[in-house]
């Protein structure tokens, strides 16, 4: 009898040590999904625990466990997780506690009823009053080459033969100007062919962003499994990317829409550079909303409450810092009324946790891993931008549009948060031919890819249907043709 009691107690203690039961875990995941997505969007087809471990970052005196699980979700109706203005991937990954490459099955252009989405998720639990309580974790058609005649020659050799026939048909008495024109056109074609062959062999250098940043993840996701060789480059961010593109050191670049507009016009941080009139977009990729973050236990209810406080705005010269300053100015806040902390986002979030900063302003796509990670260590809140400030910033036509960060984009965010956003843009260098730009647009915006599974949660918002959203600079006309063809226009 005693032995039986000891064994039963051991089993009970082992169960307590490993966290909640599979049934309790499934119920909590279902609840979070119901909060994050519209009713009737997904159902759990299968869920399996994959173990658990102690949470080493748990508050003093509190027992916590991180539970790992695999889940298969079944789409109950057609749903586009990549829509810019509705709950989608951000809510899903926050609800599941999934990380980069943790979700597979989300396709650009929208999913269909019956589709399966698979994820490696995590759930955080605290032991309270002999129970495990869930804790919010810190969650087409290709472009056709032009045909110059109904019976146009096909293939390089046939085209060369046709050109030879044109040259040989020039009358002996042709003027010098006519002969020079033909020679110049042939030299231009020769140089263009050599340049394109070199780019195909060496790849299209894409100025992306810092290591572990969203731009670099997206660039690597686009490069993965593509027949167009994209070479993602680690840089300091959008403003450096724009200068590298202008100098011809890269052929493609990623940048915020507001920074691209300043580069085009030669204003703001690009005043000393002068206008970059040749700058063109391949398309808009995803929205980058303004996040104003404060500690959850602070007394701040509005951006105006930050007067006299220490605000992290980003490093000097960064596009994000310039945007943060404009947001503060729209709320009548500027030094010396506030103390600007010129540090990077990661350092700023640490300063916010340690009480050395009162707020962090960051412009970043959702869901932002840095924000989710910070939530695991300290409760945070998002402050809404004041309506007059939003109207002023959008009305200035400086590359901003009104945006709402949907509720449950982050695990503790129970309300929609009005703010502004700028679009993350893909930009083309002047050295690219129209055919190359069209091909790159097709690569980036074609339907049916799963960029989330390749490491970019924001990649689910990249589609031909969204490519004209938030554009602040002219769209390259070759890209426009490719986008219209893919969108069926």
């Amino acid at each position: 009898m005693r032995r039986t009691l000891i064994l039963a107690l051991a089993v009970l203690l082992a169960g307590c040590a490993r966290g909640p039961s599979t049934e309790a875990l499934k119920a909590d995941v279902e609840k979070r999904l119901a909060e994050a997505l519209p009713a009737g969007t997904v159902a759990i087809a299968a869920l399996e625990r994959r173990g658990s471990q102690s949470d080493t970052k748990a508050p003093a005196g509190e027992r916590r466990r991180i539970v790992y699980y695999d889940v298969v979700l079944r789409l109950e109706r057609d749903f586009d997780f990549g829509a810019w203005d509705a709950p989608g991937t951000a809510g899903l990954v926050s609800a599941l506690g999934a990380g980069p490459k943790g979700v597979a099955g989300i396709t650009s252009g929208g999913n269909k009823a019956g589709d399966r989405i698979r994820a490696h998720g995590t759930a955080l639990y605290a032991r309270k009053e002999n129970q495990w309580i869930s804790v919010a974790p810190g969650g087409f058609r290709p472009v056709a080459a032009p045909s110059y005649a109904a019976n146009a020659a096909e293939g390089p050799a046939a085209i060369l033969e046709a050109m030879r026939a044109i040259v040989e048909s020039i009358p002996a008495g042709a003027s010098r100007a006519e002969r020079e024109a033909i020679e110049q056109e042939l030299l231009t074609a020769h140089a263009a062919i050599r340049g394109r062959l070199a780019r195909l062999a060496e790849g299209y250098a894409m100025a992306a962003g810092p290591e572990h940043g969203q731009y670099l993840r997206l660039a690597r996701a686009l490069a993965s499994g593509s027949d167009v060789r994209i070479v993602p480059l680690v840089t300091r961010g959008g403003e450096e990317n724009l200068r590298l593109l202008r100098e011809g050191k890269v052929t493609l670049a990623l940048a915020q829409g507001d920074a691209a507009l300043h580069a085009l016009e030669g204003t703001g941080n690009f005043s000393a550079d002068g206008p970059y009139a040749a700058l063109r977009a391949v398309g808009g990729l995803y929205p980058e909303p303004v996040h104003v973050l404060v500690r959850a236990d602070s007394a701040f209810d509005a951006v105006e409450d930050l007067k006299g406080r220490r605000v992290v705005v980003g490093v000097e010269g960064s596009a994000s810092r310039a945007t943060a300053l404009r947001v503060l100015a729209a709320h009548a806040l500027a030094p010396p009324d506030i103390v600007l902390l010129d540090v990077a986002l990661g350092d700023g979030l640490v300063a916010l946790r340690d009480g050395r900063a009162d707020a962090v302003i960051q412009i970043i796509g959702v869901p932002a891993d840095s924000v989710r990670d910070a939530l695991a260590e300290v409760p945070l809140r998002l402050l809404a931008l004041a309506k007059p400030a939003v109207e002023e910033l959008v009305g200035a036509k400086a590359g901003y549009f009104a945006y709402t960060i949907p509720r449950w984009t982050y695990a503790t965010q129970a309300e929609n948060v009005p703010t502004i956003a700028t679009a993350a843009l893909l930009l083309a260098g002047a050295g690219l031919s129209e055919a190359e730009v069209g091909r790159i647009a097709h690569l980036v915006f074609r339907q049916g890819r799963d960029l989330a599974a390749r490491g970019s949660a924001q990649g689910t918002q990249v589609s031909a249907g969204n490519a004209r959203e938030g554009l602040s600079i002219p769209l390259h006309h070759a890209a426009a043709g490719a986008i219209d063809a893919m969108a069926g226009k």
Side-chain angles (χ1 to χ4, degrees):
M1 180 69 177
R2 183 181 178 186
R3 178 181 176 85
T4 302
L5 287 173
I6 292 173
L7 287 173
L9 181 61
V11 171
L12 178 62
L13 290 173
C16 291
R18 64 190 292 268
S21 66
T22 300
E23 292 74 17
L25 172 64
K26 182 179 178 181
D28 288 331
V29 173
E30 286 177 334
K31 179 182 177 182
R32 291 198 296 272
L33 287 169
E35 291 173 336
L37 297 172
T41 300
V42 298
I44 295 179
L47 185 147
E48 185 175 354
R49 281 180 57 124
R50 291 297 185 186
S52 65
Q53 69 175 37
S54 295
D55 179 14
T56 58
K57 297 181 179 180
E62 186 173 292
R63 286 180 60 198
R64 288 188 176 186
R65 289 197 75 78
I66 303 171
V67 180
Y68 303 93
Y69 64 92
D70 289 342
V71 66
V72 179
L73 304 177
R74 182 182 64 252
L75 265 292
E76 300 292 272
R77 61 188 180 91
D78 295 355
F79 189 75
D80 185 1
F81 286 93
W84 282 28
D85 56 354
T89 305
L92 182 67
V93 300
S94 290
L96 299 178
K101 300 186 180 182
V103 180
I106 299 176
T107 57
S108 61
N111 284 76
K112 300 296 184 182
D115 284 356
R116 296 294 199 270
I117 294 175
R118 292 170 170 77
H120 306 296
T122 60
L124 184 61
Y125 284 84
R127 187 71 176 173
K128 296 180 181 178
E129 299 179 356
N130 295 321
Q131 289 185 323
W132 287 107
I133 306 299
S134 177
V135 178
F140 125 16
R141 190 174 69 202
V143 180
S147 177
Y148 296 102
N151 58 348
E154 295 183 0
I159 294 172
L160 280 174
E161 188 59 37
M163 292 180 68
R164 182 190 302 277
I166 292 173
V167 172
E168 290 178 349
S169 67
I170 299 172
S175 69
R176 181 176 178 179
E178 289 174 322
R179 293 184 177 278
E180 285 181 351
I182 293 170
E183 184 177 346
Q184 288 171 4
E185 291 298 327
L186 289 173
L187 287 172
T188 298
H190 180 258
I193 292 169
R194 286 178 59 90
R196 285 191 63 182
L197 289 175
R199 287 192 289 272
L200 285 171
E202 299 172 8
Y204 294 88
M206 180 184 290
E211 194 69 59
H212 308 301
Q214 292 180 353
Y215 282 180
L216 189 61
R217 284 180 184 168
L218 176 63
R220 287 173 173 167
L222 290 171
S224 175
S226 170
D227 59 350
V228 176
R229 188 169 175 233
I230 301 293
V231 183
L233 302 181
V234 176
T235 69
R236 287 189 290 270
E239 291 200 358
E240 180 182 11
N241 295 351
L242 283 158
R243 291 190 171 96
L244 289 172
L245 189 71
R246 182 170 187 165
E247 294 164 4
K249 295 179 180 178
V250 297
T251 49
L252 298 167
L254 298 169
Q256 288 180 201
D258 55 347
L261 179 59
H262 282 295
L264 177 77
E265 297 175 342
T267 57
N269 289 347
F270 294 90
S271 297
D273 303 73
Y276 183 6
L279 184 61
R280 293 293 182 269
V282 179
L285 302 173
Y286 57 86
E288 296 188 279
V290 172
H291 293 59
V292 183
L293 293 156
V294 298
R295 290 178 64 104
D297 57 5
S298 71
F300 308 125
D301 294 320
V303 177
E304 292 90 337
D305 297 340
L306 298 176
K307 185 174 182 178
R309 303 295 183 167
R310 302 158 298 177
V311 182
V312 174
V313 293
V315 295
E316 189 74 38
S318 68
S320 185
R321 183 181 189 277
T323 307
L325 293 178
R326 292 186 199 104
V327 168
L328 289 170
H331 290 84
L333 294 174
D337 295 329
I338 52 174
V339 178
L340 299 181
L341 301 181
D342 299 329
V343 297
L345 172 63
D347 295 333
L349 289 170
V350 172
L352 187 60
R353 179 197 66 188
D354 296 344
R356 294 180 284 107
D358 299 298
V360 172
I361 301 180
Q362 177 66 10
I363 295 77
I364 193 167
V366 292
D369 289 339
S370 52
V371 176
R372 293 175 62 213
D373 292 344
L375 281 169
E377 298 189 34
V378 59
L380 301 175
R381 284 188 291 118
L382 282 164
L383 296 183
L385 269 59
K387 186 177 179 179
V390 170
E391 292 174 348
E392 176 186 333
L393 290 162
V394 173
K397 300 189 182 302
Y400 306 119
F401 50 93
Y403 187 83
T404 297
I405 301 177
R407 62 195 296 264
W408 305 118
T409 290
Y410 301 104
T412 57
Q413 181 201 339
E415 303 293 336
N416 292 331
V417 178
T419 183
I420 62 165
T422 188
L425 302 182
L426 176 60
L427 308 164
L432 293 175
S433 69
E434 292 189 13
E436 287 176 298
V437 173
R439 188 181 185 199
I440 290 166
H442 176 244
L443 159 71
V444 173
F445 296 110
R446 73 173 183 264
Q447 309 283 31
R449 294 158 313 140
D450 188 354
L451 294 179
R454 298 178 184 177
S456 173
Q458 291 72 36
T460 61
Q461 298 170 302
V462 177
S463 70
N466 293 335
R468 294 179 184 271
E469 297 287 338
L471 286 177
S472 57
I473 67 169
L475 184 65
H476 194 292
H477 67 88
I483 290 165
D484 287 345
M486 286 183 279
K489 294 182 179 180

